[in-house]
Amino acid sequence: MASHSDTLVVFFGATAGANGGKLGSDEREIILLVWQIVDLHEKKVGKLQRRLVKPDSLELTDQSKEETGLSVEELYKAEPLDKVLQQFQQSVSAELKALGRSSYTLCVDGPLIIRQALHPEASKKNLVLPECFYSFVDVRKEFHKCCPNAGQVQDLTLHSMLEYVCIPELPLSEQVMGLKEVRCMVQLSLHILAEPYNHKFSCFEAVKYKLESGACSKTEPVDSETVIRARGLPWQSSDQDISRFFKGLNIAKGGVALCLNAQGRRNGEALVRFINQEHRDLALERHKHHMGSRYIEVYKATGEEFLKIAGGTSNEVAQFLSKENQVIIRMRGLPFTASPQDVLTFLGADSPVTDASDGLLFVKYPDGRPTGDAFVLFSCEEYALNALKKHKQILGKRYIELFRSTAAEVQQVLNRYMSTPLISTLPSSSMVPMPVLATPPYLATGSTRDCVRLRGLPYTAAIEDILEFMGEHTIDIKPHGVHMVLNQQGRPSGDAFIQMRSADRAFMVAQKCHKKMMKDRYVEVFQCSTEEMSFVLMGGTLNRSGLSPPPCKLPCLAPPAYAAFPSPAMLSEAALYQPPLLATPRTPQPPHSPHPTPTLAYYPPQHHPAQLYMNMNMNYTAYYPSPPVSPSTMSYFASPPGSVALAAQQPHAQGHVASPMMPQHGALVRMQGLPYNAGVKDILSFFQGYQLQPDAVLLLYNFSGQRSGEALITFPSEESARRAVAERANHPLSGLPVRLLVCCD
């Protein structure tokens, strides 16, 4: 309502569950509404109105029965919420007309009845609230503005405010819930309107009608006290669904960022940014509220996390998203040869794209190859719905998937494919040999159920917390047997795997530790096999439906495990995961050095450790092992910050034995533009005369497990690598010119 309203409607409500400071936190329905009009000019009050509301579920908590004095029988005879709201409008309109007034504003004791009870319930019941419920004044904030020495807004109560201005409390006979609160607010309002305060109500709060779309820059400051993480969302949920879940709270422009997994699909999480901390704190009160039949977990998050998902730097994306109030649809599975005109024809005349081809954004790899994804802008909901009807229809020889999308998802998908360089930037001073693991080491697999899975860990939990949680069973953990599962953003997912010394020990842990508390959360503990653990750590899923293998069983480029100093007895367990590609080699030692080879060699940190590993469109997974070590029970020492450990076998007494995981040293050349059917033999023939072995060739694959048209070749020396690039660059392989690049260039 406008700030020049000449009438206040003092408004109060109660629910069938928690009331007071916890109103709305338990999703219980409204059962009582009370209101009274105050004429700001004449200082007169209208008739006190009280209405019972019949909830869909006729159940009251004992606390609610005691506080409200209401029974199920009384509520059964009442009208439902929509009817009571109609009565409210009719009553207020009639009184305003009698007073000769034209506008009014709601006045409440705190925002909970409006933001946490009325709007969420109306949204769930698909009720259209009158305009008056989108603007209100909070008597506590008005009183604090009038009497700043009375205390902080969050500490004020009706009792303390009345006491501060020396207004006596109502007699016990009038202390009926609802009537008492409204009368107190009316008394307080009239008192601060009069001398000596002469207060004018001006702190008008608004409830946003709808979510505003918009782009977010990575350089934009985002306050961490305004961001939450919602977890457990249905996979098909859109930003509008999330906005409805938080109905009544004001989400910042472009403030919903749906998170994607390693395969570019939604993972059931979203980061939501609110306009201020007050709204963020109210959002946290909706922890485990329901979206349909699913409960949604709500946790604090940081501005950095939000920017990782929603922030972007591409001018092309910024220009695409600069058109406001557009509905965004994502298309997936497009033929690689599809043109803008093909897409426009596919969508048809009943779903015209905003600005024709300028309303299309094709997602491409850094080298310009299409990914099969595109985003489309529509000017209204009707056109978008028409487009969604073409879900799974055929374009060319492929069926096309269409989904609702968001500005944050556009940024996230483009960041995934475009922002990370295909080859990490290395020092340009001189050629640095790069070791390549021809066969990356994986966890050994087996069907013996000698592992346990921990689910529901606090996001702040560290390995030390897990060991404390395990208690007396810690001694039964295998060396390097603790693995925390991280999400796509490299943060804890709430899951971990523990390798035990036997299946009996794993069974005992699962029995004794299941649903035991860690910090403020209970943790579920399940027995599982090494094979199941390995599949999850490599990107598969393990749920009630069974085991789903990783989307690609090919070698994955994963971040390194942390360093540890294993004792000689532990060497067979050391370095369960090692990175297949490291950016800096260790200094090789002569085979008969008088000094034994150290168990671990460190690599110094880079300025951008996240870029040490090559993306190259491979199926790198969202799940990585944590430091594979139990620090409290084994000799665990932190490595230098940012360092990477590479394990070698302990030398035997008679001599040194080379580790099967030892990388080959040499200079790396990247090949681009390979035919998709090109194999190792074709590449060796292409470089005939350079004395390459088959294990010097590493073919790269995309998310679908198909060859990406790129490869990495390890040459014996810098000289031979540079000579090969100079002599063979742009030469044809099966009729296609091949691009060659020395990786440090």
Side-chain angles (χ1 to χ4, degrees):
M1 303 298 290
S3 60
H4 59 270
S5 297
D6 44 23
T7 311
L8 286 182
V9 176
V10 177
F11 191 79
F12 174 84
T15 71
N19 290 294
K22 287 293 183 179
L23 182 73
S25 62
D26 56 1
E27 291 187 281
R28 301 305 289 265
E29 296 172 87
I30 294 171
I31 59 171
L32 174 67
L33 292 178
V34 185
W35 66 89
Q36 188 172 21
I37 286 180
V38 177
D39 188 328
L40 296 177
H41 295 294
E42 300 294 333
K43 312 296 190 293
K44 293 180 181 179
V45 298
K47 183 181 178 181
L48 186 61
Q49 305 279 354
R50 181 174 184 264
R51 299 285 190 279
L52 301 186
V53 182
K54 182 180 179 180
D56 291 344
S57 175
L58 285 168
E59 294 181 3
L60 278 73
T61 63
D62 293 339
Q63 180 186 4
S64 178
K65 289 179 182 178
E66 182 181 347
E67 290 175 345
T68 63
L70 299 175
S71 66
V72 172
E73 291 75 19
E74 290 178 284
L75 295 178
Y76 182 77
K77 300 174 184 177
E79 297 283 355
L81 181 61
D82 57 336
K83 299 293 185 184
V84 174
L85 291 177
Q86 287 179 12
Q87 294 173 13
F88 167 82
Q89 278 191 287
Q90 293 167 0
S91 169
V92 171
S93 299
E95 288 196 62
L96 284 178
K97 188 175 181 180
L99 291 170
R101 303 301 177 196
S102 59
S103 61
Y104 65 94
T105 301
L106 294 182
C107 177
V108 293
D109 177 27
L112 299 184
I113 181 59
I114 302 293
R115 295 195 184 279
Q116 295 286 74
L118 194 58
H119 274 280
E121 184 173 339
S123 178
K124 287 180 181 178
K125 295 180 176 179
N126 293 318
L127 303 180
V128 179
L129 288 175
E131 187 182 353
C132 63
F133 291 106
Y134 287 86
S135 178
F136 63 91
V137 291
D138 185 345
V139 71
R140 300 185 191 187
K141 293 181 180 178
E142 296 291 345
F143 186 83
H144 181 265
K145 185 177 178 181
C146 180
C147 306
N149 296 326
Q152 297 297 319
V153 173
Q154 60 269 26
D155 299 328
L156 294 176
T157 63
L158 282 175
H159 175 75
S160 67
M161 290 186 287
L162 290 171
E163 188 177 40
Y164 186 84
V165 294
C166 303
I167 297 177
E169 282 200 45
L170 295 172
L172 290 174
S173 60
E174 297 184 26
Q175 293 195 2
V176 178
M177 188 177 194
L179 300 180
K180 180 185 87 169
E181 285 81 4
V182 169
R183 283 175 176 147
C184 288
M185 282 191 279
V186 168
Q187 280 186 305
L188 196 61
S189 300
L190 291 173
H191 191 83
I192 62 177
L193 284 169
E195 296 284 349
Y197 301 105
N198 293 320
H199 180 68
K200 291 184 179 180
F201 286 80
S202 58
C203 299
F204 293 86
E205 297 191 40
V207 179
K208 286 189 175 182
Y209 286 89
K210 63 178 183 178
L211 177 68
E212 296 178 272
S213 61
C216 178
S217 169
K218 281 192 178 293
T219 59
E220 181 179 338
V222 176
D223 184 1
S224 291
E225 298 302 319
T226 64
V227 182
I228 62 93
R229 178 184 293 274
R231 188 178 179 189
L233 299 165
W235 68 267
Q236 72 273 29
S237 58
S238 66
D239 57 342
Q240 297 298 330
D241 296 319
I242 295 169
S243 175
R244 277 192 291 273
F245 177 80
F246 290 110
K247 187 68 176 176
L249 306 179
N250 292 347
I251 298 174
K253 184 177 180 180
V256 176
L258 295 163
C259 300
L260 307 180
N261 61 18
Q263 287 73 46
R265 299 178 183 270
R266 295 170 186 172
N267 65 4
E269 294 190 6
L271 292 165
V272 185
R273 177 188 178 191
F274 294 90
I275 60 170
N276 57 35
Q277 183 178 349
E278 178 187 359
H279 289 244
R280 190 284 307 267
D281 292 342
L282 292 178
L284 292 171
E285 291 295 325
R286 300 194 189 183
H287 179 59
K288 293 202 172 178
H289 282 204
H290 288 78
M291 180 184 290
S293 60
R294 303 189 63 167
Y295 72 81
I296 308 301
E297 299 174 52
V298 183
Y299 304 100
K300 289 183 180 179
T302 66
E304 180 185 356
E305 289 175 301
F306 183 82
L307 286 175
K308 275 186 178 179
I309 300 299
T313 56
S314 168
N315 292 330
E316 183 183 14
V317 176
Q319 184 177 358
F320 177 76
L321 297 174
S322 63
K323 306 175 182 68
E324 296 187 1
N325 300 319
Q326 299 288 309
V327 183
I328 305 175
I329 298 295
R330 180 180 179 184
M331 302 180 71
R332 194 165 60 198
L334 291 169
F336 294 146
T337 57
S339 67
Q341 188 56 49
D342 294 331
V343 174
L344 294 175
T345 304
F346 172 80
L347 293 170
D350 59 345
S351 48
V353 177
T354 301
D355 297 336
S357 59
D358 289 340
L360 297 175
L361 178 65
F362 287 90
V363 183
K364 298 180 180 179
Y365 291 113
D367 60 1
R369 291 181 295 113
T371 65
D373 279 26
F375 292 93
V376 190
L377 294 179
F378 296 98
S379 58
C380 66
E381 189 70 23
E382 179 187 355
Y383 296 158
L385 289 174
N386 290 338
L388 289 171
K389 292 176 184 176
K390 297 177 175 63
H391 179 58
K392 292 200 173 181
Q393 290 189 12
I394 302 297
L395 174 58
K397 295 183 179 180
R398 306 189 64 173
Y399 73 84
I400 310 301
E401 298 175 288
L402 288 93
F403 308 95
R404 288 184 178 274
S405 189
T406 67
E409 186 172 9
V410 177
Q411 297 279 25
Q412 199 175 165
V413 172
L414 266 292
N415 287 346
R416 179 186 305 278
Y417 289 113
M418 297 295 292
S419 297
T420 305
L422 286 179
I423 294 291
S424 55
T425 304
L426 298 177
S428 57
S429 55
S430 61
M431 166 67 80
V432 182
M434 302 181 70
V436 176
L437 292 180
T439 306
Y442 293 100
L443 286 169
T445 60
S447 58
T448 305
R449 298 176 64 80
D450 57 353
C451 300
V452 291
R453 179 186 186 184
L454 275 57
R455 189 170 68 187
L457 295 168
Y459 290 132
T460 57
I463 290 184
E464 289 80 0
D465 300 311
I466 293 176
L467 297 176
E468 183 179 350
F469 173 83
M470 299 281 286
E472 63 189 53
H473 304 288
T474 302
I475 59 174
D476 297 319
I477 299 175
K478 281 186 178 181
H480 303 242
V482 180
H483 307 275
M484 293 184 74
V485 182
L486 307 185
N487 63 19
Q488 176 62 22
Q489 289 73 47
R491 298 186 178 276
S493 68
D495 280 23
F497 286 91
I498 314 292
Q499 292 176 280
M500 308 303 293
R501 293 190 181 275
S502 68
D504 292 341
R505 299 296 183 183
F507 175 79
M508 189 66 66
V509 170
Q511 292 295 310
K512 291 194 174 182
C513 295
H514 184 57
K515 292 198 174 181
K516 181 178 170 183
M517 298 298 292
M518 180 186 294
K519 298 184 178 178
D520 58 344
R521 301 187 64 176
Y522 74 83
V523 177
E524 298 174 288
V525 183
F526 307 101
Q527 189 178 7
C528 66
S529 67
T530 310
E531 180 182 24
E532 292 168 335
M533 176 188 72
S534 179
F535 268 55
V536 172
L537 292 178
M538 291 169 61
T541 56
L542 179 62
N543 50 39
R544 294 176 184 173
S545 303
L547 184 66
S548 299
C552 178
K553 294 183 181 179
L554 299 163
C556 299
L557 298 179
Y562 287 63
F565 290 92
S567 62
M570 302 177 189
L571 287 173
S572 63
E573 310 276 358
L576 292 176
Y577 266 30
Q578 296 296 341
L581 181 63
L582 301 176
T584 310
R586 68 175 180 176
T587 305
Q589 291 187 338
H592 301 289
S593 169
H595 303 289
T597 305
T599 303
L600 293 169
Y602 286 107
Y603 298 89
Q606 305 294 319
H607 293 295
H608 303 286
Q611 295 181 0
L612 280 172
Y613 304 94
M614 301 196 300
N615 183 343
M616 294 185 232
N617 313 322
M618 287 191 65
N619 176 39
Y620 66 89
T621 170
Y623 304 95
Y624 307 124
S626 69
V629 55
S630 304
S632 300
T633 57
M634 292 177 276
S635 301
Y636 173 84
F637 303 91
S639 63
S643 61
V644 177
L646 182 65
Q649 288 184 342
Q650 184 76 2
H652 294 282
Q654 286 80 8
H656 299 282
V657 179
S659 168
M661 298 179 188
M662 189 64 66
Q664 297 176 331
H665 299 291
L668 199 67
V669 169
R670 170 184 163 206
M671 299 183 73
Q672 281 186 314
L674 291 170
Y676 291 113
N677 59 353
V680 174
K681 288 184 178 179
D682 299 313
I683 294 174
L684 292 176
S685 298
F686 182 82
F687 287 112
Q688 189 173 5
Y690 290 91
Q691 296 160 356
L692 297 178
Q693 298 299 318
D695 60 1
V697 178
L698 179 63
L699 292 167
L700 303 183
Y701 294 80
N702 61 22
F703 290 121
S704 305
Q706 299 170 333
R707 291 176 182 173
S708 65
E710 298 184 10
L712 296 176
I713 316 299
T714 304
F715 281 80
S717 67
E718 172 188 348
E719 180 184 355
S720 61
R722 293 193 180 278
R723 182 163 58 88
V725 170
E727 294 177 354
R728 304 297 297 167
N730 296 317
H731 278 225
L733 176 59
S734 299
L736 292 177
V738 177
R739 295 184 295 278
L740 301 178
L741 178 69
V742 178
C743 288
C744 68
D745 283 348

